[in-house]
Amino acid sequence: MSDAATTESEWYTESVETACDEYETGAEGLSSEEAERRRDGYGPNRLPRAKPTSLWEIALRQFTDPLIYVLAAAAVVSVAVGEGTDAAFIAAVLAINALIGSVQEWQAEQSSRSLQELIETRATVLRDGDARDIAAEDVVPGDVVLLESGYRVPADVRLTATHDLEVDESPLTGESEAVLKDEDWEASGDVPLGDRRNMVHAGTNVTRGRGRGVVVATGAETTVGQLAEDVTAVEGGQPPLVMRMERFTRAIGVAVIVAAAITAILGVVIHQYDAVEMFLFAVALAVSAIPEGLPVGMTVALGVASRRMADVGVIVRRLVAVEGLGSCTMIATDKTGTLTANELTARQLRLADGTTYDVTGEGYDPDGAVLRDGVQTDAGSDDRLARLARAAILCNEGTLSRRDGEWTWRGDPTDVALLALGRKLGRTREGALAEYPQVEEIPFESEQRFSATFHRADDRTAVFVKGAPERVVAMCDETTTDASLADLEAETEAMAREGYRVLAVAEGTLDGELDPEAPPPEPTGLTFLGFVGLIDPLRSGVRTAIATARRAGITVTMITGDHPETALAIARDLGLAERPDEVVTGVEIADRSTDDVRELLGTTHVFARVSPEQKLDIVKAARDAGHYVAVTGDGVNDAPALRQANVGIAMGQMGTDVARDAAELVISDDNFATIVSGIEQGRIAYDNVRKIVYLLVSTGAAEVVLVLLAIVAGMPLPLTPVQILWLNLVTNGIQDVALAFEPAEDDVLDRPPRSPTERVFDRLMVERTVVAALIMGPLAFGAFAWLLDAGLSATAARNQILLLMVLFEVVNIGNARSETTSLFRLSPLGSPILLAGTITAFLVHVGSMYAAPARAVLETAPVPLGRWAFLTLVALSVAVGIEVHKLWWRRRRSPRRVTEEES
C-alpha cells in the first residue's frame, strides 16, 4: 500500500483498478495472514463509541431528584435549629440511597452493554479466494466484500461489480428512496454523498440485488465514523412503563406533599406541635408515602428480565420489548427457520416424465445417495437427471466446501441443499462453471419468486432457472415436456401434501449474447426439467411451545411463502390446522377487504403463498382487531411487518441486518420455542413491577394512616421523621429491589394475556392497598395508644411501633409475592434473593436496636421477648387480612375454578 492513501471522500472519483492497486488486492481478496496483519495495523472495524458513563457521574445523578432536594432542605433546617443528629441521619439516608441507586444503575448499564455485544453484525468477504462469513469488526481495508439484499454494509466500499444493487442510504442522507448503484458510474466534479453511485457506505443497508467491492475505509475513517461523535451523543429513551410510573410517582408526590403540608399546619395550629418538628415530620411523611423507589425498582425488574431473556436466547434491543412481549396476544410467525430447523435436505426428485428418485442423507453434509427403485444411481446414468443437477447447481448463489475435514457452507439454505444434492450425484458447481462460465444473473428476490443465471455455451447463451413451481412452470414451453401444465400442477400438490417444500427447475437457451448495457430478460420458452422435494424438519420442542402459547391465551398464526399443501402438512404436525379450507392463500387475501381479513384472523391460523406486502396487511388487520402482535422475520422484506408489529422479533442466525434493525428483540437460535420462553420472562417482569408497586404504596399508605389517626386523636407523633425515613429508604428499600428478582409463579403461562391498556395501579391494586393500609395503620395506632396507656414513654412506645412497622414490612412482602396464590403455599426457599433481602433488612433493623450510634439517631432500644411475641402476632394480622381478600378476589373472578381447587 502506498503511504499517501487516498482519502475516502475522493474514492468515488477513482477507478476500480486504482482502488485495487492502492490496497494491493484483487479478485481473490486478501490472504488470511495479510488480513490479520492489517487488522493489527488499522484496528477493529468499529465506530467510535459513546464514552461509558462513569460511576461518579451515575452517583451524581442520584441527587437530581426533587425529593432529594426536599430532604436536603430538611437537613439544612435541622442544622439551623441545632438538630445535628437529625441532619446527620438525613445525610446518611441520602448517601445510602445514592449508593443503592448508583449500584443498580451501574449494573443495568453494564448489562445493557454486554447484551448489545451479543448482537453481532456479520460480513461476507473473500479470503484466500473463498467466501467467508466473518464478524464485521474484522473487515480490513483491501477486503473484497460481497453484498446482497438484507445485508448491512460493513465499511466504506468502492464497488467493483453490481447487479440491480439498491442501497438504503437514509441513515446518512435522510433520503427514503433506495439508491441504484453502478460500479461504472463516473464522477464529474464534486458530488454529494447521496449521488455517489459507485460507492456504498458503512451503516447503510442493501435492499435489493447483489454487489461486490473493495473496502477503502473502516471504523472511524468511514463516513459514518466521522459523524459518530454526533450519533453517540444521542441518549436513548426510557421504556414507556418506566415513564408512566414516574408520572404516577410524581402525581402521588404532589398530592402527598400537599397532604403532608396540611397535616403539618393542622399539627401546629390545632395541637400546638413545634413548627420545626412538624416541618421535618411533614418532609418525612411525604418521603414515606411517595414511592420514590419505584422507577429504580422497575428499572431493576426490567434489567433482570433482560438478563433472564438473554439466558434463554432472547436478546433485548429495546427495553420496551420486555414489557410488551409479556402482553402479546398473537404471534405471527414464519415457518422456515422458526418453526422448522431451516436445514433443508433434498429428499425426492421428480423428472418431467414422471420418473421419481429418492435421496438419502441429512442436512448439508453431502454424504448420501440418489436411489431409483432402491438402487443407487448417479448423473451419468440418466441424461435428464444430469441436466436437472446441472441446472440446480449453476442457478445457485451458495457455497459448500470441505475445510479442515469439516463441511462448511454459506448462502440460502435452499441453494446449499441443492449443492449437497449435486455432490451426491457427482457434480460440483466449480466443475459446472468451468464448462458453462456465468455471464449474468437474476438473483432471487421474494417478490419475484425465482432466480436465473445465464452462461456461455458455445455460440449461445444457456439459461438455468429455479423457483416456485407455478412461477417456473409458467415460463416453460408446454411442447417441451410430455406432461401438461395441469399435470405438473397436480404433481406439485401431491409432493406438497407429503410435506415437501417443492422447487421447480428448468433450462433454456438464448440466441446470441446478452446486451451488457441492459438488464437480462425474464426467461421464457424454457424446458421443464423436474421438481426437487426438500424436507425441513420441525424444530425440537416447537409443538410443545405452540401448545404452551395457546394455553397462555396467545393465538399462533403461521405466515409463509410456501405452497398451501406444504403449509398444511406442517400445520397438521403443529396442531394449527387440519383441513385445506383452514389455509388461506395470498391470492385469496388479495380479493378480500380489510374487514374480511380481520374476520379471517378469528378462524384462520395458516396463511400460505403470502407476499411481504400481504404479511404487512395481516399484521395491520391483527392490530385493528385488538391484538397485541409479535411478528417474526429474517429478511429485508420482513422489515415493514416487523416495524408495524407491537413487538418485532428478528432471527439472530439467519436474519439479515435490516430485519434486526427493525426489531425490538433478536432470537439467538431462531427457535419459536425461545419466543415463548421470552413471553414467560416478560410476564414475570410485569408481575414483579406490580409486586414492587404494591409493596411500596401499601406500606407508605399505612404510615400515613397511622400518623393521621395520631394527629386527629391529639396523641404524640407515633414515629419521628428519621424513623419514617429509616422505614422507607432503608428497610423497605432493600426489600423492594429484592422483589425484582422474584421467579415465575406457577400459573404465569396459564393466564390470558393482560390488556396492553391495563393500568398497573388497577382495581385489584387499589383494593389490596386499601385493605393492607387499613389493617396496618389502625392496628399500629391501636398498639401505640395501648403502649402509652401501659405507662411507656412516647420514645419507648415509638421504638416498639417502629419494630412493629418493620415486622409489617416483613409479612407484607410475603403478601406481595402473588396477587392470587396464598402466602402459605409459597415456599420462602423458592425465592432465595428475596429471602436474603428480607432477612438482611430485618437484621439491619435489629442491629439498630443494639448499636449505640443507631440507637442515638433512631431512638431505638432492645425490646423484651414477650413484647416481641405480641408485636409479631399483630404483624401477622396483615397476612390474614390479605389472605381473606385473595380468597374473595378468586371467588369473584373465577368461582368455578376456586371451587374445583378446594374440592
Side-chain angles (χ1 to χ4, degrees):
M1 293 177 290
S2 66
D3 294 333
T6 305
T7 63
E8 192 283 322
S9 60
E10 298 174 346
W11 278 115
Y12 67 92
T13 66
E14 302 293 341
S15 67
V16 170
E17 292 75 16
T18 301
C20 290
D21 291 344
E22 180 76 28
Y23 288 103
E24 299 176 4
T25 189
E28 300 294 308
L30 300 174
S31 67
S32 299
E33 294 78 10
E34 176 62 18
E36 186 67 27
R37 188 183 69 78
R38 293 189 185 188
R39 192 185 189 283
D40 292 339
Y42 286 98
N45 177 34
R46 186 186 300 148
L47 294 179
R49 297 182 177 179
K51 182 182 177 182
T53 306
S54 65
L55 189 55
W56 71 268
E57 290 174 313
I58 292 175
L60 284 179
R61 279 209 300 255
Q62 310 309 309
F63 295 95
T64 59
D65 188 278
L67 273 175
I68 301 300
Y69 302 152
V70 175
L71 282 173
V76 171
V77 171
S78 297
V79 171
V81 298
E83 296 289 341
T85 302
D86 286 356
F89 178 77
I90 293 173
V93 166
L94 291 176
I96 293 172
N97 186 62
L99 177 62
I100 294 173
S102 298
V103 169
Q104 293 300 330
E105 281 199 37
W106 173 261
Q107 290 179 342
E109 185 160 322
Q110 297 306 306
S111 174
S112 175
R113 288 182 177 275
S114 63
L115 289 176
Q116 287 300 313
E117 288 174 1
L118 295 176
I119 308 172
E120 184 181 59
T121 301
R122 309 292 293 178
T124 302
V125 300
L126 292 179
R127 294 274 174 86
D128 302 313
D130 294 328
R132 297 186 187 178
D133 187 46
I134 65 172
E137 69 173 30
D138 291 333
V139 171
V140 298
D143 262 327
V144 175
V145 174
L146 307 182
L147 303 169
E148 61 182 86
S149 56
Y151 278 33
R152 176 183 290 142
V153 180
D156 285 355
V157 176
R158 172 59 167 92
L159 294 168
T160 60
T162 60
H163 190 286
D164 294 336
L165 183 67
E166 294 183 5
V167 179
D168 173 14
E169 295 185 333
S170 58
L172 290 178
T173 66
E175 295 292 334
S176 59
E177 291 293 325
V179 179
L180 180 65
K181 296 297 181 176
D182 179 5
E183 76 277 13
D184 294 325
W185 174 85
E186 295 181 0
S188 56
D190 191 19
V191 178
L193 180 68
D195 295 332
R196 300 171 187 174
R197 295 179 56 194
N198 58 12
M199 292 285 300
V200 290
H201 302 277
T204 59
N205 298 304
V206 180
T207 60
R208 182 181 175 84
R210 304 293 187 270
R212 71 168 60 195
V214 176
V215 173
V216 294
T218 58
E221 300 304 316
T222 62
T223 300
V224 71
Q226 294 166 10
L227 300 173
E229 185 175 346
D230 296 331
V231 174
T232 54
V234 179
E235 295 185 2
Q238 288 181 300
L241 178 62
V242 173
M243 295 172 66
R244 287 203 305 269
M245 293 311 297
E246 284 188 346
R247 288 195 296 268
F248 169 71
T249 302
R250 292 191 191 101
I252 289 182
V254 172
V256 168
I257 289 173
V258 171
I262 293 173
T263 301
I265 293 170
L266 290 175
V268 172
V269 174
I270 297 177
H271 299 293
Q272 283 78 51
Y273 292 134
D274 179 73
V276 173
E277 180 184 9
M278 285 310 297
F279 168 76
L280 296 174
F281 184 80
V283 171
L285 185 63
V287 171
S288 72
I290 298 171
E292 72 283 341
L294 198 51
V296 172
M298 282 190 305
T299 301
V300 173
L302 296 178
V304 168
S306 296
R307 291 193 292 272
R308 287 176 174 174
M309 284 184 171
D311 290 340
V312 298
V314 182
I315 301 169
V316 178
R317 297 189 68 247
R318 301 179 182 98
L319 205 56
V320 60
V322 175
E323 170 196 0
L325 190 59
S327 306
C328 82
T329 61
M330 175 179 172
I331 305 173
T333 177
D334 286 339
K335 176 184 73 67
T336 303
T338 307
L339 301 175
T340 61
N342 203 24
E343 292 185 359
L344 291 173
T345 303
R347 283 291 180 80
Q348 191 176 94
L349 309 177
R350 294 196 185 186
L351 303 185
D353 63 354
T355 304
T356 300
Y357 291 87
D358 296 315
V359 186
T360 64
E362 296 289 341
Y364 303 143
D365 190 326
D367 290 337
V370 178
L371 309 176
R372 181 178 180 183
D373 298 327
V375 179
Q376 182 170 346
T377 186
D378 59 31
S381 62
D382 189 330
D383 180 63
R384 299 163 301 176
L385 181 62
R387 290 165 63 192
L388 184 147
R390 180 182 64 192
I393 61 177
L394 283 175
C395 185
N396 201 297
E397 294 182 81
T399 62
L400 178 64
S401 59
R402 196 172 184 85
R403 184 180 298 143
D404 299 327
E406 299 288 337
W407 287 101
T408 61
W409 54 83
R410 185 193 67 83
D412 183 83
T414 301
D415 284 337
V416 180
L418 293 177
L419 293 177
L421 170 66
R423 286 183 177 270
K424 291 173 185 177
L425 288 167
R427 297 289 188 269
T428 66
R429 188 165 192 269
E430 293 74 17
L433 284 172
E435 186 177 356
Y436 294 90
Q438 183 172 322
V439 295
E440 189 56 276
E441 66 176 333
I442 301 177
F444 180 84
E445 298 290 350
S446 56
E447 61 268 23
Q448 68 191 23
R449 294 167 49 214
F450 80 92
S451 61
T453 55
F454 300 83
H455 303 257
R456 279 201 306 273
D458 298 328
D459 58 347
R460 297 170 302 159
T461 299
V463 56
F464 303 101
V465 178
K466 72 175 190 302
E470 61 269 31
R471 191 76 170 89
V472 174
V473 168
M475 299 178 184
C476 294
D477 184 347
E478 193 169 357
T479 63
T480 64
T481 178
D482 297 333
S484 66
L485 297 183
D487 291 338
L488 293 177
E489 183 178 349
E491 286 281 325
T492 301
E493 293 180 355
M495 293 179 72
R497 280 194 296 272
E498 295 176 30
Y500 291 114
R501 180 179 178 182
V502 185
L503 199 67
V505 182
E507 67 178 6
T509 59
L510 301 175
D511 292 330
E513 296 182 354
L514 292 172
D515 181 356
E517 301 299 323
E522 181 174 304
T524 57
L526 301 176
T527 299
F528 177 72
L529 297 176
F531 296 118
V532 180
L534 301 116
I535 287 291
D536 188 7
L538 292 180
R539 283 188 177 273
S540 174
V542 72
R543 291 190 190 91
T544 302
I546 288 179
T548 301
R550 286 181 155 184
R551 193 176 75 244
I554 301 168
T555 300
V556 179
T557 300
M558 181 173 77
I559 303 176
T560 179
D562 276 348
H563 191 282
E565 292 288 354
T566 305
L568 179 59
I570 296 295
R572 284 195 181 109
D573 286 343
L574 296 172
L576 292 177
E578 289 295 334
R579 306 183 311 276
D581 62 345
E582 295 180 276
V583 179
V584 174
T585 66
V587 173
E588 294 172 297
I589 293 175
D591 296 333
R592 295 176 184 261
S593 67
T594 302
D595 290 339
D596 288 341
V597 175
R598 195 160 50 241
E599 290 180 11
L600 267 179
L601 290 170
T603 56
T604 301
H605 305 306
V606 182
F607 295 87
R609 279 293 189 252
V610 171
S611 69
E613 294 78 12
Q614 290 167 335
K615 182 175 182 177
L616 179 61
D617 291 340
I618 293 171
V619 174
K620 288 180 179 177
R623 293 193 62 174
D624 290 344
H627 280 293
Y628 198 84
V629 189
V631 174
T632 72
D634 57 8
V636 62
N637 54 297
D638 291 317
L642 290 171
R643 291 193 181 96
Q644 180 66 35
N646 297 99
V647 180
I649 305 172
M651 301 298 105
Q653 292 181 338
M654 300 302 297
T656 61
D657 296 318
V658 174
R660 286 194 285 267
D661 281 347
E664 286 80 27
L665 300 172
V666 176
I667 305 301
S668 62
D669 60 0
D670 295 6
N671 194 339
F672 179 87
T674 301
I675 300 172
V676 178
S677 298
I679 290 173
E680 180 181 23
Q681 294 302 328
R683 290 190 176 188
I684 294 170
Y686 186 75
D687 285 352
N688 290 349
V689 167
R690 286 178 61 89
K691 293 168 186 177
I692 293 170
V693 171
Y694 164 73
L695 179 68
L696 293 176
V697 177
S698 63
T699 304
E703 293 166 8
V704 172
V705 170
L706 166 62
V707 170
L708 289 178
L709 287 175
I711 290 177
V712 170
M715 296 169 59
L717 294 176
L719 295 168
T720 66
V722 292
Q723 287 173 340
I724 290 179
L725 293 174
W726 174 263
L727 283 174
N728 195 54
L729 295 179
V730 180
T731 59
N732 216 19
I734 296 172
Q735 296 177 96
D736 67 359
V737 171
L739 261 181
F741 294 86
E742 186 74 357
E745 296 182 43
D746 291 339
D747 66 342
V748 69
L749 286 178
D750 292 330
R751 312 177 213 143
R754 67 177 177 87
S755 169
T757 59
E758 174 188 295
R759 293 173 298 167
V760 174
F761 207 74
D762 59 2
R763 180 174 178 176
L764 171 60
M765 190 78 73
V766 171
E767 289 183 10
R768 191 66 51 80
T769 298
V770 169
V771 170
L774 292 183
I775 291 173
M776 293 187 288
L779 283 178
F781 168 74
F784 185 59
W786 177 76
L787 291 169
L788 291 176
D789 289 343
L792 271 69
S793 67
T795 299
R798 289 188 188 113
N799 172 50
Q800 295 192 24
I801 294 304
L802 180 60
L803 174 59
L804 175 60
M805 295 305 294
V806 171
L807 291 172
F808 270 137
E809 289 178 353
V810 171
V811 176
N812 202 29
I813 200 167
N815 293 330
R817 290 188 63 196
S818 176
E819 295 179 0
T820 56
T821 304
S822 169
L823 161 66
F824 303 106
R825 295 177 60 183
L826 299 172
S827 169
L829 300 178
S831 183
I833 294 179
L834 182 62
L835 179 61
T838 304
I839 292 173
T840 299
F842 180 70
L843 292 179
V844 165
H845 182 71
V846 171
S848 75
M849 296 163 60
Y850 292 90
R855 290 176 61 177
V857 175
L858 295 173
E859 298 181 2
T860 53
V863 174
L865 187 61
R867 198 55 54 79
W868 267 94
F870 167 72
L871 296 176
T872 301
L873 287 174
V874 174
L876 289 173
S877 62
V878 72
V880 176
I882 298 302
E883 286 298 307
V884 171
H885 185 263
K886 286 181 179 180
L887 179 61
W888 175 78
W889 182 269
R890 292 199 304 268
R891 287 185 181 277
R892 187 175 64 172
R893 291 292 175 176
S894 184
R896 180 179 304 173
R897 180 176 175 184
V898 173
T899 302
E900 291 172 353
E901 287 178 354
E902 292 177 343
S903 63

